[in-house]
């Protein structure tokens, strides 16, 4: 069930059978010469759409995240960490006020991890400092770290998976949007690796936007397999999460 295509009586009825909700979260940032700027949002959104067919409520995607280091590339948009913390708190608080207890953030961007965990810490602190139990269960799951996805990515791409604009994530977006499939000349074939600092430094060290990856290995066919692996990982992990009390 997709929240944006549900009615309030439909959500009320859902709450009687489940108090869990999936919230896809991503980023809006360059993904090299061939990757879509929405890659990090599209990937978890696509997998979550599959979860929605299993009578799991899926909230609208939080599609802008932590991308300051990509701002030297046109089209990238970032929030400040404090803004994302406030966004996550407000989304959780809204749905918690109606009876939701289990919040499963399906994440597509490694750069979001620290800040979303900080948001969870803020939510816990708010309740602890007030001396009350929240009853809330909060989980951040990275689709690209699922065991089936990791095994398949390793089998398909080996070391060429890299860290940013990876063939795995780009393949998955092409599964979702086949018309986006494209190739471009990239040199070196496999991008350099190194630490991430600010936007100016990033563009200097990673001039075409990639880190450690060879996205020329991406394909729609690989994307189909990665989708199936990602959905299986997410469904298993979500069901285990729902069982936690
Ligand atoms: Ni990405």
């Amino acid at each position: 069930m997709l929240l944006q295509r549900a009615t309030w009586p439909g959500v009320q009825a859902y709450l009687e059978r489940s108090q869990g909700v999936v919230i896809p979260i991503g980023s809006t940032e360059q993904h090299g010469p061939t990757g879509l700027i929405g890659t990090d949002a599209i990937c978890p959104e696509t997998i979550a759409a599959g979860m929605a067919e299993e009578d799991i409520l899926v909230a609208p995607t939080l599609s802008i995240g932590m991308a300051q280091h990509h701002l030297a590339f046109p089209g990238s948009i970032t929030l400040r960490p404090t803004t994302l913390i406030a966004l996550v708190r407000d989304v959780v608080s809204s749905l918690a006020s109606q009876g939701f207890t289990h919040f499963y953030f399906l994440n597509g961007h490694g750069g979001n991890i620290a800040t979303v965990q900080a948001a969870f810490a803020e939510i816990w602190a708010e309740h602890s400092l007030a001396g009350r139990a929240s009853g809330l269960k909060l989980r951040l799951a990275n689709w690209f770290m699922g065991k089936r996805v990791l095994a398949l990515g390793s089998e398909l791409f080996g070391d060429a998976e890299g860290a940013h604009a990876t063939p795995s994530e780009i393949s998955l977006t092409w599964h979702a949007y086949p018309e986006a499939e494209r190739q471009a000349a990239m040199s070196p074939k496999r991008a350099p690796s190194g630490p991430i600092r600010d936007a100016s430094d990033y563009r200097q060290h990673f001039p075409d936007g990639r880190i450690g990856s060879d996205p020329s290995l991406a394909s729609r066919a690989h994307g189909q397999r990665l989708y199936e692996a990602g959905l299986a990982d997410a469904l298993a992990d979500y069901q285990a999460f729902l069982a936690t009390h």
Side-chain angles (χ1 to χ4, degrees), residues 29 31 39-40 108 164 169:
E29 60 183 51
H31 270 75
T39 294
D40 289 353
H164 183 68
E169 61 183 347

Side-chain angles (χ1 to χ4, degrees), residues 27 29-31 39-41 43 70 108-110 144 163-166 169:
S27 186
E29 60 183 51
Q30 68 81 19
H31 270 75
T39 294
D40 289 353
C43 289
H70 294 295
H109 176 47
F144 50 89
H164 183 68
T166 69
E169 61 183 347

Side-chain angles (χ1 to χ4, degrees), residues 180-230:
E181 184 165 12
R182 74 198 74 185
Q183 292 293 342
M186 286 181 252
S187 179
K189 184 168 165 56
R190 206 182 142 203
S193 295
I196 295 169
R197 303 187 185 95
D198 64 18
S200 165
D201 179 84
Y202 185 107
R203 184 144 187 178
Q204 182 186 340
H205 288 97
F206 311 108
D208 72 2
R210 301 172 296 146
I211 301 179
S213 65
D214 177 8
S216 73
L217 301 175
S219 76
R220 284 166 56 186
H222 293 334
Q224 166 80 35
R225 294 181 66 192
L226 285 156
Y227 168 74
E228 288 162 4

Side-chain angles (χ1 to χ4, degrees), residues 52-181:
E53 292 176 14
E54 306 290 328
D55 195 31
I56 295 168
L57 185 66
V58 174
T61 303
L62 308 182
S63 57
I64 301 179
M66 297 292 95
Q68 64 79 19
H69 49 293
H70 294 295
L71 287 182
F73 295 87
S76 300
I77 302 174
T78 196
L79 303 178
R80 294 165 194 271
T82 47
T83 312
L84 183 58
I85 289 169
L87 175 64
V88 169
R89 286 179 68 187
D90 287 355
V91 169
V92 169
S93 299
S94 297
L95 294 170
S97 77
Q98 299 151 9
F100 286 93
T101 56
H102 286 63
F103 294 79
Y104 188 86
F105 287 81
L106 186 61
N107 181 40
H109 176 47
N112 286 343
I113 295 171
T115 306
V116 173
Q117 294 291 1
F120 292 174
E122 284 280 357
I123 293 166
W124 303 133
E126 192 173 347
H127 289 85
S128 298
L129 288 166
R132 60 173 188 262
S134 70
L136 299 180
K137 305 292 185 291
L138 309 170
R139 174 159 169 73
L140 179 70
N142 302 300
W143 80 267
F144 50 89
M145 298 289 284
K147 69 176 182 186
R148 295 169 186 80
V149 166
L150 281 178
L152 181 56
S154 171
E155 174 196 323
L156 293 173
F157 309 122
D159 289 344
E161 171 73 355
H164 183 68
T166 69
S168 288
E169 61 183 347
I170 290 175
S171 293
L172 181 50
T173 64
W174 292 350
H175 168 67
Y177 297 100
E179 70 281 6
E181 184 165 12

